[in-house]
Amino acid sequence: MSSTPALAASRTLLRVLLVLNLVVGAGIAALLAASFLFEETLMAGAVGEPLSPATMPLVMGMRGIAAIGIASIPLNHIFLTRLLAIVDTVRAGDAFVLANAVRLQTIAWTLLGLEMLHLLVGAVITGASTDERPLDIEWSFSFNPWLAVLLLFVLARVFEHGARMRADLEGTV
Amino acid sequence: MPILVKLDDMLHERRMTLTELADRIGITLANLSILKTGKARAVRFSTLEAICAALHCQPGDLLEFAAPDEETASPPL
């Protein structure tokens, strides 16, 4: 089958991303912990000036974004494991099953959750920034991920319908 | 399922095995077994026609509706 190398590559890539996600999560958690343990040195360096009441919004903003980053790790994990499971069913030659419709719907929910977290990051940046001390993190809003969420929910329903039709056809003599 | 498949009885009446029927009508033994054991979700008219022709019977001789409970059974649409 010509798609086998592509599927094998996808599987490998997803496994690498799964590990990378956990590593990044551990890294962010370590940074967040360090921001409390070595507050004076680490956060003063991050803010670019000695810590004072005026710099606290920036410090809290950075910690908030780190916390949001940690919250995204389980969502990424669910997203990747479900996608890996779908790829595995394609490799096994039986992708049109109800379980994949459920997985697709789960992926849509996780993507929705990730987009909500993305919005939250924007809110934190806006809340922590002042004219004198802006939180220098690039953030922009895009409609495309929201459209992807909508598309995934629709696709999950289409997949579910198709899987039921196939199950019916399989039971037809 | 309240639809009962009486293929076994009809085969017994006609002194025919499932394998013989499968050979005559060109349907796999596995598929006929699914039908015979009542595990099929649907039956094609072409299958019903082939079985009826081979067994010299009517569709009603092969299928029977048995309501699970007369009082709770939903009315026909």
Side-chain angles (χ1 to χ4, degrees), chain A residues 164 167-173, chain B residues 31 34 40-44 47:
Chain A
R164 281 192 202 284
D168 273 348
L169 195 65
E170 279 197 333
T172 301
V173 176
Chain B
N31 269 348
I34 289 170
R41 285 169 177 255
V43 186
R44 288 190 182 90
T47 304

Side-chain angles (χ1 to χ4, degrees), chain A residues 12-26 77 80:
Chain A
T12 308
L13 180 67
L14 286 170
R15 285 187 174 280
V16 169
L17 287 174
L18 267 168
V19 175
L20 211 61
N21 180 50
L22 294 176
V23 170
V24 169
H77 188 79
L80 292 168

Side-chain angles (χ1 to χ4, degrees), chain A residues 7 11 32 34 52 57 70 80 88 91 109-112 138 140 146 170:
Chain A
L7 282 175
R11 206 164 178 272
L32 186 61
S52 66
I70 292 168
L80 292 168
D88 281 344
R91 270 165 65 97
W109 280 113
T110 54
L111 203 58
L112 181 67
E138 269 190 39
S140 63
W146 293 94
E170 279 197 333

Side-chain angles (χ1 to χ4, degrees), chain B:
Chain B
M1 197 185 281
I3 299 291
L4 300 176
V5 180
K6 301 186 293 180
L7 183 60
D8 221 11
D9 297 342
M10 196 50 64
L11 283 170
H12 188 256
E13 273 182 35
R14 300 290 189 262
R15 299 281 183 268
M16 195 187 290
T17 64
L18 199 65
T19 311
E20 283 171 357
L21 180 64
D23 287 341
R24 282 193 193 192
I25 64 176
I27 290 175
T28 63
L29 188 60
N31 269 348
L32 273 187
S33 285
I34 289 170
L35 182 62
K36 194 188 85 170
T37 51
K39 289 173 185 166
R41 285 169 177 255
V43 186
R44 288 190 182 90
F45 277 152
S46 58
T47 304
L48 210 50
E49 183 186 333
I51 295 172
C52 287
L55 296 176
H56 305 290
C57 64
Q58 293 298 316
D61 298 328
L62 296 167
L63 304 172
E64 183 183 313
F65 173 70
D69 188 338
E70 290 294 332
E71 285 179 12
T72 57
S74 55
L77 294 173

Side-chain angles (χ1 to χ4, degrees), chain A residues 63-147:
Chain A
R63 283 173 180 158
I65 289 167
I68 294 167
I70 292 168
S72 74
I73 300 300
L75 291 177
N76 287 331
H77 188 79
I78 293 168
F79 182 103
L80 292 168
T81 49
R82 299 308 185 275
L83 195 54
L84 187 61
I86 290 175
V87 169
D88 281 344
T89 60
V90 175
R91 270 165 65 97
D94 196 13
F96 294 102
V97 289
L98 278 176
N100 275 353
V102 175
R103 286 176 186 132
L104 213 51
Q105 199 170 38
T106 308
I107 287 173
W109 280 113
T110 54
L111 203 58
L112 181 67
L114 287 168
E115 278 312 303
M116 300 286 266
L117 291 180
H118 183 67
L119 282 185
L120 202 57
V121 168
V124 169
I125 291 171
T126 308
S129 297
T130 56
D131 288 340
E132 299 84 40
R133 293 182 179 83
L135 191 50
D136 197 17
I137 294 174
E138 269 190 39
W139 185 93
S140 63
F141 178 80
S142 171
F143 271 114
N144 289 345
W146 293 94
L147 285 176

Side-chain angles (χ1 to χ4, degrees), chain A residues 150-169:
Chain A
L150 188 67
L151 181 71
L152 276 171
F153 274 118
V154 171
L155 273 180
R157 291 292 297 166
V158 169
F159 216 90
E160 185 187 342
H161 192 67
R164 281 192 202 284
M165 281 176 68
R166 185 176 172 241
D168 273 348
L169 195 65

